[in-house]
Amino acid sequence: MTAHTYLPEFLVHLKAGNWQCRCAGCRGELPQLALSWRNHQRLSADIRCDAAARQILCRKDAFVLHSVDEQAWSDQPLSSQAQAMNQSVINLLIANGHPLAIRLYAVAVLLSRTHPAASEAQIKQVEQELQLLLEHGYLHNAFAELPLVARYAHRALQQLGERTLDVNLDAVSGTRLMMKLNEVKVLNAGYQQQMLMTLRDNVAVQQGLADRDVGWLNFLLYRCYHDLFPGNDATQWPQQFMTLCADYNALHTLVALLLQEGIVLDDEMFAALVAGYLRGAQPLAEEKEALLIGLALLK
């Protein structure tokens, strides 16, 4: 059966020319994937490959989609609810003129206000209401009033210090990153908290993170496109949001630690860092307050 198929611009560029990447994420093979349902298909690539990550994260046009007709390889249909929620999340994420953390807050509100049995029309209505709240600044104020629950960011930093990363950086950058993570591992809780505050208050670090705005947005859009975030199972939406925010937080921290050391990442280094981190990512434990934990990691 032929399904309506989407081909993203990042994959067009990945398929052009001879494949030369030999990283642990692709092992010399083009990491192309087809995400198939009976009525819908998305062509994609595995972001855990360094070369794929660079095209996915660093191109402004990475998620320009082309329509093609190809054979579908699944008998399972994609539900209209999953498609509607996925598109509404994307619409909120690409709402220009707002900090990305605020847009993610809007996504959290969408997930919390949408009934598990909501129709396409109901999902769209909630999204449109949130777009208006974004436009008029109400969500900015609400996010600012959220309490800073430091223990979740602290726990995330501790977990990051325990990770073994397989990242293809130059010798100097790789060594400094490992030294910073070892420092995280041996510091007591008080010093770890101080490290987080220092990173937040460092103007150069925060500017360096902001300069990667295309990369951060594309990372989130990839999760929507490739993983169909927040997914088919409405009961798992809060958990999926927490996982997304945890990865977003961890990658921000890794980049911030390098910026603190005076290392400015070019596109190749940034992509390798994201790909390497995701190659070792582990599922998070189920949490009762998953949405709140996710939001705490954005503060």
Side-chain angles (χ1 to χ4, degrees):
M1 178 179 178
T2 300
H4 188 72
T5 302
Y6 292 102
L7 171 66
E9 188 69 17
F10 70 76
L11 187 56
V12 173
H13 287 271
L14 278 174
K15 294 171 69 175
N18 295 322
W19 186 254
Q20 297 182 352
C21 185
R22 298 293 183 270
C23 76
C26 70
R27 302 190 184 280
E29 298 290 336
L30 178 69
Q32 179 177 343
L33 301 166
L35 315 169
S36 295
W37 298 268
R38 188 172 63 206
N39 55 331
H40 186 94
Q41 187 166 238
R42 300 179 180 188
L43 303 181
S44 188
D46 194 332
I47 196 174
R48 293 174 295 181
C49 161
D50 292 3
R54 183 170 183 179
Q55 293 295 332
I56 292 166
L57 297 170
C58 301
R59 300 188 62 88
K60 288 185 177 181
D61 62 352
F63 289 93
V64 171
L65 300 181
H66 308 279
S67 295
V68 296
D69 288 323
E70 289 201 9
Q71 182 72 30
W73 300 105
S74 174
D75 292 329
Q76 296 297 318
L78 178 60
S79 74
S80 59
Q81 185 198 57
Q83 282 185 274
M85 180 59 85
N86 182 245
Q87 188 59 56
S88 285
V89 169
I90 291 171
N91 292 343
L92 289 170
L93 287 175
I94 62 175
N96 290 326
H98 312 284
L100 206 44
I102 305 298
R103 288 180 255 174
L104 282 166
Y105 176 56
V107 170
V109 178
L110 173 69
L111 299 180
S112 68
R113 288 180 53 185
T114 303
H115 189 274
S119 67
E120 294 175 73
Q122 289 169 326
I123 292 169
K124 187 62 179 177
Q125 181 180 353
V126 176
E127 181 221 318
Q128 289 173 338
E129 291 171 358
L130 291 171
Q131 294 281 10
L132 285 174
L133 292 173
L134 266 176
E135 183 180 341
H136 291 95
Y138 294 117
L139 292 184
H140 300 67
N141 296 333
F143 183 73
E145 292 173 0
L146 289 177
L148 178 61
V149 187
R151 69 178 181 274
Y152 295 122
H154 179 216
R155 183 177 70 180
L157 181 65
Q158 289 177 318
Q159 292 171 341
L160 192 58
E162 298 292 332
R163 289 278 301 272
T164 300
L165 296 179
D166 171 28
V167 181
N168 294 323
L169 298 176
D170 62 85
V172 172
S173 300
T175 299
R176 289 191 179 179
L177 180 59
M178 291 305 104
M179 289 176 64
K180 293 298 290 186
L181 291 177
N182 285 332
E183 184 181 339
V184 169
K185 194 173 182 178
V186 301
L187 288 176
N188 63 35
Y191 280 107
Q192 289 172 343
Q193 295 277 21
Q194 183 61 46
M195 176 181 282
L196 285 173
M197 288 188 290
T198 299
L199 291 175
R200 287 195 197 101
D201 294 339
N202 188 311
V203 175
V205 167
Q206 293 305 313
Q207 184 59 55
L209 290 170
D211 289 343
R212 278 284 160 196
D213 56 339
V214 172
W216 300 125
L217 176 58
N218 282 7
F219 171 74
L220 298 174
L221 291 178
Y222 176 82
R223 297 288 278 265
C224 291
Y225 179 80
H226 187 89
D227 298 336
L228 198 72
F229 176 88
N232 276 302
D233 186 353
T235 65
Q236 287 296 304
W237 288 348
Q239 185 74 18
Q240 292 299 321
F241 180 77
M242 182 183 69
T243 298
L244 181 67
C245 292
D247 288 340
Y248 182 76
N249 172 275
L251 290 167
H252 264 70
T253 301
L254 289 171
V255 173
L257 290 172
L258 285 169
L259 290 169
Q260 189 182 46
E261 292 294 295
I263 297 172
V264 179
L265 282 71
D266 60 18
D267 287 352
E268 185 175 355
M269 294 170 66
F270 177 70
L273 186 65
V274 174
Y277 166 82
L278 292 173
R279 284 197 288 268
Q282 297 294 325
L284 297 179
E286 294 280 341
E287 296 280 359
K288 291 182 179 180
E289 302 293 338
L291 269 181
L292 294 177
I293 294 172
L295 287 173
L297 294 173
L298 299 176
K299 292 290 283 184

